[in-house]
Amino acid sequence: MHFIRQVTTAHSSIITERSNVSSMIKQRCLLPLLSGRSGSCRLCETFTPAPAKDQFQEELVIRPLHSGDIYASFQFRTLWDTDFLQEGQKKVSHYRLFPKSLGQVLSKFSVQELHISFTQGFWRTMQWGQPFIPSPPGAELWVWFHHTVSDVDGNWKELTNVLSGIFCASLNFIDMTNTVQPSASFKPLGLGNATDHRFLRYATLPREIVCTENLTPWKKLLPCGSKAGLAVLMKSEKLFHSSFHSQAVHIRPICQDEQCTSKAWELRQTLNVVFDHYTSGQGKKEWSLFKMFSRTLTEACPLASSSKVYVDITDNPELSPATPLLSQAVVLGDRRTYSVYDLTRAETFGQLRSFNLLLRWKGDNMLRPLLHAERYVAGFGLQTGEIHTVIYNNHPYRAFPVLLMDSVPWYLQLYIHTLTVTSKSRDNKPSYIHYQPAKDRHRPHLLEMLIQLPPHSMTEVTVQFERALLKWTEYTPDPNHGFYVGSSVISALVPSMVAMSTNFTQDQPLFSSFVPVKEESSYFVRVYTEPLLVNLPTPDFSMPYNVICLTCTVVAVGYGSFYNLLTRTFQVDEPSPPLAKRLANFIRRIRGVPLLA
Amino acid sequence: MDYYNLMRIFAFIHLLVSIPHGYSNYVETKAGQFFSSGHTNNWAVLVCTSRFWFNYRHVANTLSVYRSVKRLGIPDSHIVLMLADDMACNYRNPKPATVFSHKNMELNVYGDDVEVDYRGYEVTVENFLRVLTGRLPPSTPRSKRLLSDDRSNILIYLTGHGGNGFLKFQDSEEISNMELADAFEQMWQKRRYNELLFIIDTCQGASMYERFYSPNLMALASSQVGEDSLSHQPDLAIGVHLMDKYTFYLLEFLEEVHPASQANMNDLFKVCPQSQCVSTPGHRTDLFQRDPGSVLITDFFGSVRKVEITKDTINLTSPVEPPIQRSGSGDIQIESLTYVDQLPVAEIIHQKPKQKDWHPPDGFILGLWTLILLVFFQTYGIKHLKHIF
């Protein structure tokens, strides 16, 4: 259930379609004014713009976490009623709010859905709860291609290269050795009826670094850039000085309206960040927008139809400036109350034309997450090891199934006959297993299992592996750092304590409308485990000189002695006599007398 | 007196006439200078070849040159920036998303608007040479390519650890001076540059430009053969040396340059004399056709556009018609679309196993069957075959 309670009779601030058109006319009219034509807007009279079919919404959700950290989630959504993939149509060439670089990528590679995320840090589910939009450490990319594509692998390869150029990331390292085709996980989050998994590709790069060079092109995709609206808060020096930072782009087709008769394309850019001011020295559970971002908000993005800030006040913190607007939303199985600040209204900014929130809170009881998971490597030495994945079900009386997907690189050779799944110290047989073995240097392992988790239990999945010895050219320049194994993905429909709403309305806040809800009693959640770092047997690359010396010495000593043994002959050699004796012999020779010895 | 006055008036009129003539001469010579350099666009390839946290200074070197080059006008699309490791968001950096060049953290050269084209493991000798010669795989995006033509002035800056005749890439491979000279010759043969300025800040850097043999190359190095290039100052909070001496003084010099400045290459050769740098910076101009004194700094470090001013009016064409609206869907049957079930348990359990592709039988299977057939025919003989079939 979702409703807005308004104490005052302020009218809604959603800018209507009409004003969108008028703002577009204003933009068009700048052109003749700049070229020096005086008088009326002649260009506008001859050119009647098509009614704007795209809209942009931005929102920021701030939620204080019980460990003292602050979770801030930015979401920017562009909704566009057009069809990139329609055949026989004139190619889309006029882009307004939707970024042209992404639009061209979608139409060239016939992409149905695209999800890409860059994350620095690991989301700690036990301390922070569930995120609105989960993401694994490093880079993750999964794409559903349109069913008309004939060469999915070729499109995938080119798509990763193009995206690596757009986002300044080394996504070109995604190739056949780390791409998998999940058979049951990662169903499309948007509209679609054909779910043939031949058109799905999933890859993750756990080693990928996220820094300002990835944030810069991400910010440039926004209609207002980083100059107006909520994006002015995104200063990299503060954003990367955090416990968790994740930026993502999600593109999918969704229903345009409630009847759902036509499709619209949705582009969501999300940025989740967790600041740890409490642990990093401040010690007080008090923060402000200025303290977190070193900026305050001065205006909403003029191209946005709605621009809102939501603050989670379920634990009754002190909030200033106070706002009469309150909103309740059920998200992730929990009903929470939010204070809403509408940035499109001038009174939010007050006298100083700047908006800075101040919040103090004390509450520290947190809803324990119903599902969370851990993963670690056990064993010793550089030959064998064991991967343990532990999944916790904290629901007191309900059991529910989870789908575990593991993608292990080929150089960890899994022994699937040693795979065990135990819950409460008893064997738990999965109802569905899909295993695709790895091919050396060609394909990674893919293991998908549907496991029923008993209530209030811990389930452990173990599998043994052996480490492979790579060819010496395949090692990275820093092989002693180790090799990464991507996170496991656990997808589940967790039973919800609170009824979820299945209606899709346009007024819903963005953070609660990401995952489509099909039934009221459960919500869909995706949990990522830690990535693993394993050491492979590494040769010592810094010893060639020493090895050559040693080898040459051994060869010289061994071969030299052998050669001498075979070819050396001994001759008796008399020493030359001393000078006195030589003189005596000389005189004796003259006299003709026998010589001395 | 009249004659004298007449002479005066005559001289005055002559002066009046000659001033505009002199002025137009001045304008012409200025215009001539304006078009004398012969290039129309600028590119920069900036490479840091060192990995690991203690080589922070090499990344700071490259980023300071990047910053100057961007400030003087070269856009990101014309800069290929290659950083072999990430220092800004390194977990050992006490101030994330910053790379400082001065101690006491005065100048953050990383900034808020940086686009790195090749990073981490992508910075290899092969990729560097491919970028220079243009032989990249077809799916490489534009931001990773050096799309220069025969009217481009290119600035190439390399920094890292080097020795006599080589430069080390990422602690695992090397590029030799002969390879670099050959790459430049390939670029000349393919007409990929008009003039090229090569700057290198490594130990024994002068050895890297000894072997160049293509025309229109100018090279600068931070030290001669047999000398080491030294680092400038450590920062106690960050714990590493922040910059190398040569690039530090180069940055100081470039901070004074603005897009309209007339500083030329002779000033650049004087940057960091031995008293400041301890090593002796060297330069090589014998392959360069113009006199270095007439080459402006902004010819390589900036992107000064040549603008033609015209007084003619240009008529704008009438605007493009908006695309025809999609035909109304009145008569097409409207079926409502639905979202897909995220975890359809029943469907998953009853999923049919994927049809595996049929492969022809393996060698082992064929051998096994051959053995069975051989034994069979040996036992029973071929003449009994007609009784069986």
Side-chain angles (χ1 to χ4, degrees), chain A residues 37 47-48 50 53 81-82 89 120 158 161 164-165 168-170 172-173 183-184 187-192 195 207-214 216 219-220 235-237 240-241 254-255 259-261 263 401 403 431-432 450 476-478 491-493 504 516 518 524 526, chain B residues 51-52 70 76 83 85-86 88-91 94-98 108 110-117 119-122 139-141 143-144 170-172 315-316 319-326 334-345 347-351 354:
Chain A
R37 292 192 194 188
F47 177 61
T48 44
K53 294 200 279 183
D81 175 25
T82 184
Q89 273 288 304
Q120 179 202 61
E158 287 192 44
N161 276 311
S164 86
C168 288
S170 39
N172 46 324
F173 283 125
S183 65
K187 294 261 184 246
L189 283 169
L191 293 174
T195 53
R207 188 84 202 264
E208 193 66 20
I209 304 153
V210 186
C211 208
T212 313
E213 64 237 29
N214 305 111
T216 309
K219 281 198 286 192
K220 286 183 181 164
K235 289 295 155 195
S236 53
E237 284 179 22
F240 290 102
H241 197 38
I254 62 166
C255 292
Q259 286 83 29
C260 213
T261 47
K263 276 202 256 195
L403 188 60
S431 22
Y432 169 79
L450 187 69
T476 53
D478 53 353
S491 322
L493 276 173
F504 246 111
K518 285 273 201 170
F524 178 72
R526 205 169 259 150
Chain B
R51 172 163 277 277
F52 303 122
K70 252 182 101 153
D76 268 316
L83 297 180
D85 202 358
D86 169 56
C89 289
N90 198 313
Y91 292 114
K95 284 199 159 270
T98 56
N108 174 17
Y110 195 57
D112 218 9
D113 184 19
V114 57
E115 286 185 20
V116 181
D117 301 305
R119 57 186 204 160
Y121 299 135
E122 292 179 294
S139 50
T140 317
S143 57
K144 287 185 168 173
Q170 293 218 39
D171 215 23
S172 66
N315 288 323
L316 294 174
V320 178
E321 289 295 312
I324 304 160
Q325 297 286 330
R326 246 184 291 158
I334 303 169
E335 45 176 74
S336 78
L337 307 154
T338 51
Y339 289 102
V340 178
D341 221 350
Q342 287 300 307
L343 193 70
V345 177
E347 205 187 291
I348 291 172
I349 293 175
H350 298 128
Q351 209 167 2
K354 250 192 346 193

Side-chain angles (χ1 to χ4, degrees), chain A residues 118-137:
Chain A
F118 298 97
T119 310
Q120 179 202 61
F122 179 67
W123 182 269
R124 298 181 199 141
T125 316
M126 275 306 276
Q127 289 151 308
W128 298 342
Q130 293 283 3
F132 294 127
I133 308 218
S135 51

